[in-house]
Amino acid sequence: MESQIEVTNKQFPRHKLFSRELAMLMYGFGDEMPPLPESVDVLEDILIDYINDICIQAAKVSSKPSKISVDDFKFVLRKDPKKLARIVELLAMNKEIEIARTLF
Amino acid sequence: MSSISTVSLDNLVIPMAEIKEMWDQMTDNQRQRYDVYRRTALNKGSVKKLAYHILNQQISSTLTFVLAGFSKVFVGEIVERAVQLKVERGEAEEGPLKPEHLREAYRLYKKETQTGSSSGFTKRLF
């Protein structure tokens, strides 16, 4: 069943934000090269839907909704060990980079 | 495992020895794919812009970096699931992923990570 994707919130820029990177990521994660253009578009819609969902949840749990923090996202993802581990890894990497910068 | 082959960041250990071992055993095709997987990231400007429209605020560079980072993990979960579904349907040799594979993968993802619609807001995507 081919149903059109309806995203109720049409305020934000929808298409062609991530087309290039998503096409490459699809290959990286197991798809064939080149991917179907319509598949890239669907994946972009899915991704935007996901980011929208996570951001809204983060805003909901935040003690300061006007200034969302990394901790808010960490809480939202508390039951997702893979993504949570990724966040911890990224923050650690970021810290290392900053330390390296100050030593210059 | 010697301490030289791993990098410790607080309690985090990045298994460089295992990665090297894996790399050595890969075919050239696999290496190419792995390389693309490692190097490709979501465009930070786009992520920042998207977050701005959703949250009505400018998020910090660190947060942009983090958001792009775990979103990439999400993309991986969906694509891998979609590829798995395609193979399970016996369509492994029939060309690249189709929208229906991705949609089904996302549908299953949402079903499995559901913690109950605490917001009371249920949007039917497919």
Side-chain angles (χ1 to χ4, degrees):
Chain A
M1 169 166 46
E2 291 286 311
S3 48
Q4 273 303 95
I5 299 163
E6 305 262 22
V7 178
T8 52
N9 186 3
K10 289 197 163 77
Q11 289 169 243
F12 45 80
R14 279 202 55 218
H15 255 267
K16 309 303 180 185
L17 267 181
F18 299 113
S19 296
R20 219 175 136 255
E21 308 94 79
L22 283 179
M24 289 197 279
L25 281 180
M26 285 171 80
Y27 170 64
F29 283 117
D31 194 15
E32 297 180 21
M33 185 67 117
L36 289 177
E38 52 264 38
S39 296
V40 180
D41 285 347
V42 167
L43 187 56
E44 173 153 342
D45 288 335
I46 289 172
L47 174 64
I48 291 177
D49 188 59
Y50 174 76
I51 292 178
N52 187 42
D53 198 37
I54 298 293
C55 285
I56 288 175
Q57 285 186 60
K60 277 213 173 98
V61 300
S62 179
S63 53
K64 224 180 163 191
S66 55
K67 197 156 201 278
I68 308 280
S69 74
V70 179
D71 287 329
D72 297 324
F73 282 93
K74 280 166 92 173
F75 180 76
V76 170
L77 295 171
R78 67 199 178 284
K79 292 185 185 157
D80 196 329
K82 207 170 167 191
K83 298 196 188 74
L84 203 54
R86 184 69 183 146
I87 293 180
V88 171
E89 183 186 21
L90 288 172
L91 288 173
M93 266 170 59
N94 206 31
K95 202 164 151 188
E96 285 280 312
I97 293 171
E98 279 183 32
I99 291 172
R101 279 214 193 105
T102 59
L103 291 175
F104 241 5
Chain B
M1 197 183 307
S2 76
S3 55
I4 302 166
S5 60
T6 60
V7 178
S8 270
L9 301 166
D10 296 315
N11 297 319
L12 209 66
V13 173
I14 298 173
M16 291 175 85
E18 274 105 340
I19 292 176
K20 183 177 185 300
E21 205 181 296
M22 198 174 71
W23 175 266
D24 287 340
Q25 294 175 21
M26 278 184 188
T27 63
D28 278 335
N29 257 347
Q30 287 175 326
R31 282 203 191 118
Q32 192 179 42
R33 202 186 280 268
Y34 181 69
D35 190 48
V36 171
Y37 151 70
R38 283 294 293 262
R39 286 163 180 259
T40 313
L42 295 176
N43 180 286
K44 301 236 172 41
S46 303
V47 170
K48 206 161 192 166
K49 184 158 82 169
L50 183 61
Y52 172 73
H53 280 91
I54 296 169
L55 295 167
N56 291 315
Q57 60 186 269
Q58 300 268 22
I59 61 171
S60 69
S61 300
T62 308
L63 191 47
T64 305
F65 178 53
V66 164
L67 183 55
F70 74 75
S71 295
K72 177 176 164 180
V73 175
F74 168 76
V75 170
E77 289 174 332
I78 294 297
V79 174
E80 286 179 355
R81 191 61 174 279
V83 170
Q84 188 187 9
L85 284 170
K86 190 176 117 185
V87 169
E88 282 170 10
R89 290 192 195 176
E91 296 169 18
E93 305 299 317
E94 287 176 25
L97 283 175
K98 298 202 184 103
E100 62 197 65
H101 299 125
L102 292 162
R103 287 197 189 110
E104 180 66 10
Y106 187 41
R107 196 187 62 84
L108 289 171
Y109 175 88
K110 287 187 100 160
K111 197 167 162 197
E112 284 157 15
T113 55
Q114 196 174 48
T115 46
S117 63
S118 48
S119 63
F121 176 60
T122 42
K123 175 175 65 183
R124 251 193 97 84
L125 198 62
F126 306 118

